[in-house]
Amino acid sequence: MTSSTGRKVAANIALTLDGRYHGPGGPGDADAIVPYATTEVARDHLTRIWEGATTALLGRLNAEGFLGFWPTVAEDENADPRDRGYAKWLVDTEKVVLSTTLTEAPWERTRVVNAPAADVVAELKTTGEGYILVNSSASVIKALLSADLLDRLFLMICPEIAGGGQRLFDDGLPSSKWKLTHQETGELGEIAMVYDRVR
């Protein structure tokens, strides 16, 4: 048994009122979420998410999507300072990408791992300090919920019903109890929440 450093694992995701992280059109259908991604509450929430995190754990789709967007934000002097803060953190931090198909790392300071998310988290918790952040990678978040390895959930609830698409909280997850430690409501009705796992 390897010893743990006590590092915590957090996950961030935006969901519709019906609990979906994308719409009926598939993974690219973010019509019910995008309008709320740049509000004041959403941007403050984004800053809250990465502060204290030292490792980003991503699925392949997110890693490739983020690569096409965030590095340019990090360089954009006209971008919102909160967006730039997150972008610079993401570019500079240690990144671990879970993939069965990638053969080389798509970013600097990135390693690709072909292993179950729970095993990767167990390994990451043996070294270093600071949060391990799973950022919007639903497949990874689902795996860690199934293994009861998440300590904190950053949720952004968007006030729309998508009516189709993938849900985050599938039937069959182990039961767990959470404490609301932060809540903020935006002008459009979006709600940013932070839940900590009660163990």
Side-chain angles (χ1 to χ4, degrees):
M1 172 95 182
T2 50
S3 62
S4 173
T5 58
R7 292 182 81 184
K8 302 285 188 187
V9 186
N12 160 55
I13 199 161
L15 301 173
T16 59
L17 283 179
D18 51 345
R20 302 176 196 275
Y21 52 88
H22 66 67
D29 181 356
D31 290 352
I33 290 170
V34 167
Y36 309 95
T38 55
T39 65
E40 290 300 302
V41 163
R43 285 187 157 130
D44 288 345
H45 189 62
L46 187 65
T47 300
R48 199 174 301 117
I49 286 160
W50 67 264
E51 286 181 332
T54 54
T55 302
L57 182 59
L58 301 162
R60 178 186 62 81
L61 284 174
N62 272 57
E64 291 178 336
F66 288 178
L67 176 61
F69 180 73
W70 286 109
T72 57
V73 177
E75 301 296 323
D76 183 0
E77 294 180 6
N78 296 315
D80 186 284
R82 292 162 294 186
D83 292 353
R84 280 194 82 189
Y86 169 75
K88 286 180 174 180
W89 170 81
L90 187 61
V91 168
D92 293 340
T93 200
E94 172 194 30
K95 290 170 285 295
V96 178
V97 177
L98 299 177
S99 175
T100 57
T101 56
L102 284 180
T103 53
E104 57 186 54
W107 290 35
E108 294 177 5
R109 288 174 287 284
T110 304
R111 61 188 172 104
V112 177
V113 181
N114 181 357
D119 294 352
V120 174
V121 163
E123 184 257 325
L124 287 171
K125 289 177 82 167
T126 63
T127 59
E129 56 188 27
Y131 269 104
I132 300 160
L133 176 64
V134 184
N135 203 351
S136 300
S137 295
S139 62
V140 181
I141 296 171
K142 285 182 178 191
L144 296 179
L145 282 169
S146 293
D148 195 16
L149 287 173
L150 287 181
D151 303 295
R152 174 169 285 180
L153 273 171
F154 293 98
L155 295 178
M156 173 70 79
I157 305 301
C158 305
E160 295 193 22
I161 291 172
Q166 293 290 314
R167 282 196 171 95
L168 181 66
F169 301 108
D170 292 327
D171 286 348
L173 288 173
S175 60
S176 57
K177 185 176 181 181
W178 299 78
K179 178 183 179 183
L180 182 67
T181 56
H182 184 89
Q183 179 180 340
E184 201 173 344
T185 305
E187 293 180 3
L188 301 177
E190 74 281 13
I191 306 174
M193 295 180 290
V194 182
Y195 281 99
D196 284 345
R197 177 77 170 92
V198 177
R199 299 194 187 275

